[in-house]
Amino acid sequence: MRHETDIQFGSDVDEAMRYAIALMRDSYPHPNPRVGALVVSPEGELLASGVCEADGAAHAEVNALADLPADLTTGATAVVTLEPCNHHGRTPPCTQALIDAGIARVVVGVEDPDPRVRGAGIARLKSAGIDVEVSSLGPEIEAADPHYYHHRRTGRPFVTLKLASTLDGQVAAADGTSQWITSPEARSDAHRLRASHDAVLVGAGTARIDDPLLNVRYDGYEGPQPRPVVLVGDEPLPADLALRDRDPFLVGDGEPGHPEIDDVLKRLSAEGVLGVLVEGGPTIAGAFIKAGAVDRLVWYLGAHLAGGSGTGAIAGTWETITDMHDLSLHTVTRIGGDVRIDADIKVGA
């Protein structure tokens, strides 16, 4: 996509890279990575920009180069948030597109952890006589697409466990009522959390009782909808569930017993899911925590006190003090009258 602009970066490569990062944040290419690419003239003028598109479509570098004449690309600099690919998948290698365009310099944001790349793209560019520089803004780039980098390094989706409870940890009253523990502002924020994931997962109990759509609903949202995932369990789901119209991925459907969490994540990875939001009830929450599969915890604390035991947020028995899971808190944010806590569960804790 070519941008007719008067943007000047001069010699400030970091400013150009941050512009590319802003572009990638607004793209939805998963299972491809989010990538922003710029073509910058030797004088520092932005000539064109592009982002990576959905799987099978053009990559960011190709989109940025499209329709630019050779007299502009020859000797120019390409600023790319992710190392250009050097393999032929559904599209030709981006390294060759840059070489053919006569690009003289490539500023790479992050080396690609994908086993098919891992430095091969940079090596190919250097062997063609192109000057390659790796940016110092790698942490900012990875923060803009954490699910991709986690998936490529671990081979499994990034798992976010979302919980919503009263201040004293209850998700439902003894009679099963639970609407609404959190405020409209917090619920809207939770939809934005859904929008940042490729899939939303619940258990069979939640699917049967709540009949949720598991989609993103807030004003102005035009991005893709996350795929609904249900851990079915021992009994088939009702045929009239609302989410059946949304092509749900039913894990364990028609299989005896309950699938292991590791197996669930492998199946989701094979489906192209890089990030999954777990919204199931206490049983599902407990199973994912017990399996050590939670990468990020997002807990909404409603401004209410249950004042007694209803249904706790996480199923299971806390046998002894040493069984606690240590957390690394990232942010504590007030949303409406509620509080959102973002944390990681420390590895080995």
Side-chain angles (χ1 to χ4, degrees):
M1 63 186 75
R2 185 171 181 179
H3 288 203
E4 300 291 346
T5 66
D6 295 321
I7 296 176
Q8 293 281 346
F9 298 119
S11 60
D12 192 339
V13 175
D14 283 354
E15 183 183 357
M17 185 61 74
R18 287 195 172 96
Y19 187 93
I21 295 170
L23 290 177
M24 66 176 275
R25 283 197 182 102
D26 294 330
S27 64
Y28 299 93
H30 287 180
N32 280 350
R34 289 176 174 161
V35 182
L38 312 179
V39 180
V40 180
S41 75
E43 295 74 33
E45 178 188 2
L46 175 63
L47 300 175
S49 65
V51 295
C52 188
E53 297 177 354
D55 202 23
H59 290 187
E61 300 93 321
V62 173
N63 283 329
L65 291 168
D67 301 326
L68 279 181
D71 64 317
L72 289 180
T73 60
T74 300
T77 294
V79 177
V80 188
T81 57
L82 181 67
E83 176 184 5
C85 64
N86 190 49
H87 60 282
H88 199 302
R90 295 190 180 184
T91 59
C94 292
T95 51
Q96 195 60 50
L98 293 166
I99 293 168
D100 292 344
I103 294 295
R105 180 189 183 205
V106 177
V107 182
V108 174
V110 178
E111 293 186 21
D112 194 341
D114 190 309
R116 297 169 297 178
V117 187
R118 284 187 183 170
I122 291 175
R124 176 70 182 97
L125 294 172
K126 287 182 176 180
S127 70
I130 295 176
D131 180 27
V132 180
E133 173 187 339
V134 178
S135 170
S136 63
L137 300 179
E140 290 185 34
I141 294 167
E142 294 201 21
D145 194 11
H147 301 170
Y148 171 79
Y149 291 96
H150 179 275
H151 180 270
R152 291 302 191 268
R153 289 183 176 123
T154 67
R156 69 171 181 82
F158 186 99
V159 176
T160 303
L161 174 62
K162 185 212 106 177
L163 300 171
S165 74
T166 61
L167 191 61
D168 48 348
Q170 302 301 297
V171 299
D175 65 357
T177 54
S178 61
Q179 294 182 336
W180 292 103
I181 286 175
T182 55
S183 65
E185 293 87 350
R187 297 197 296 273
S188 179
D189 186 75
H191 277 271
R192 288 176 169 80
L193 183 63
R194 281 184 180 178
S196 67
H197 291 74
D198 303 321
V200 180
L201 182 150
V202 298
T206 298
R208 291 190 183 96
I209 295 169
D210 296 342
D211 193 13
L213 284 170
L214 303 182
N215 60 356
V216 177
R217 302 184 301 276
Y218 66 83
D219 290 343
Y221 180 71
E222 297 179 352
Q225 289 291 344
R227 188 172 183 186
V229 179
V230 182
L231 304 190
V232 176
D234 297 324
E235 299 180 11
L237 293 175
D240 60 350
L241 288 182
L243 59 78
R244 284 195 180 274
D245 293 331
R246 297 199 54 239
D247 185 30
F249 184 49
L250 306 180
V251 183
D253 193 22
E255 302 174 14
H258 298 271
E260 296 292 332
I261 299 301
D262 284 347
D263 183 53
V264 171
L265 295 177
K266 288 177 182 177
R267 296 190 198 187
L268 290 177
S269 180
E271 290 286 311
V273 172
L274 305 188
V276 57
L277 179 64
V278 177
E279 287 194 2
T283 299
I284 294 295
F288 271 82
I289 291 174
K290 183 178 180 180
V294 177
D295 300 298
R296 177 64 51 85
L297 176 67
V298 177
W299 199 315
Y300 294 93
L301 293 172
H304 305 286
L305 196 66
S309 296
T311 301
I314 301 169
T317 302
W318 183 23
E319 298 288 354
T320 182
I321 191 72
T322 56
D323 288 344
M324 287 191 302
H325 296 274
D326 292 336
L327 301 179
S328 175
L329 295 179
H330 287 279
T331 57
V332 178
T333 310
R334 182 168 180 173
I335 300 176
D338 304 331
V339 172
R340 168 176 163 166
I341 299 174
D342 289 53
D344 292 342
I345 296 179
K346 292 185 179 179
V347 177

